[in-house]
Amino acid sequence: MGRSELVLMTDHSSNEGSREALAAAVRRLTGRAPVLLDARHFMSGGPAGPAGGGRVRGADGGVTLEVPAEGLAPTAGAVILYEIPPHRRLELADLQRGLREHGVRSLGTAVDGWRTASDKRLTVERFARDGVRQMPTVTLSRPTAAEAAEVFDRLGGDVWARPAVGMSGQDVFHLTTYAQLAEAADRYARTGTDWLLARDARNFTADGRRHQYRVTVLDGRALRAVEHVQDDPDEPCNLARGAVSTPLPLAELPAGLAELAVAATGAVGLPFAAVDLAAESGGVVFEVNVHPAFGSPGALEAVAVPYVAAHLAPAD
């Protein structure tokens, strides 16, 4: 890559492990370690308040990413921007625009795509616009008890509540009673959180466990599939909430799910994402994950390596 470096930018307060997997993929493909930068320096307020941000300026071969607090100023020809929590992603919009303006190779510059996938209200709207199948869903913002009950009844009294912006299945609840609905509404109200109610997809295995699929999409094609199984039917089918993940050959996905995952990724405007979806209820999408973790077996080879490869200069 000449004078320029491959820079790996993540939120260094995260401990999910994606940074390590991506760095390993970079070393495997290039024989060199990436330059590691803490993305928090480039968020709107920086890591320690308004005075803590990094700076972006154009340079031959890409951009120079200046981090005065750490004495770093690498020139980047490619930037992997990853492992950013949903509630901080909008703070990187100026960085993303700068990278795109200066022609830096990166799959992480889709400002609108990040926003649409991170805010589930926008995701629901985009799916409806583009005809991507999803369960009937209603957005709520500090509803009265009567308003919440009306939506609950309209959706059949068997629903999932989730925050508009969240991660790892936190504050996601299966609701089948008015008491559960009131408790969830109160929890969201205490934190000032907008939320959504969606009809249950009835995605059960024959023995009554929850299950769904995660399909990773890169540049318009399905790259990898896994099946998540959750023993507790009232918990989200999420690894952080106790689900078990098993890699699945793409050929063994139920018919149409790979195509549905590609359509969902395109609808939100991302070149890379992992789509959570179910075969039940006619095949429906639950959400699109901007930065899926690389912790499941085989993810390094099947996802991290091709994802990094997409950032590298084409061979001469």
Side-chain angles (χ1 to χ4, degrees), residues 77-100:
V79 174
I80 299 172
L81 187 57
Y82 211 86
E83 203 172 356
I84 310 299
H87 66 284
R88 302 298 304 271
R89 289 175 187 158
L90 296 185
E91 296 185 56
L92 287 170
D94 288 343
L95 169 68
Q96 292 172 293
R97 294 187 185 102
L99 295 177
R100 175 167 288 189

Side-chain angles (χ1 to χ4, degrees), residues 262-287:
V262 170
T265 306
V268 299
L270 290 173
F272 170 84
V275 182
D276 291 335
L277 67 177
E280 290 79 7
S281 298
V284 291
V285 176
F286 297 130
E287 66 176 342

Side-chain angles (χ1 to χ4, degrees), residues 220-238:
R221 65 183 181 90
L223 193 66
R224 183 177 190 250
V226 297
E227 184 176 22
H228 292 170
V229 176
Q230 168 65 268
D231 287 342
D232 187 342
D234 295 321
E235 284 285 347
C237 208
N238 187 286

Side-chain angles (χ1 to χ4, degrees), residues 10 16 21 88 93 122 129 138 149 158 169 194 207 227 230 251 254 258 267 269 274 279-280 304 309 311:
T10 64
E16 74 173 36
R88 302 298 304 271
L122 300 179
R129 185 197 73 181
V138 177
D158 185 357
D194 287 352
D207 58 1
E227 184 176 22
Q230 168 65 268
E280 290 79 7
H311 292 78

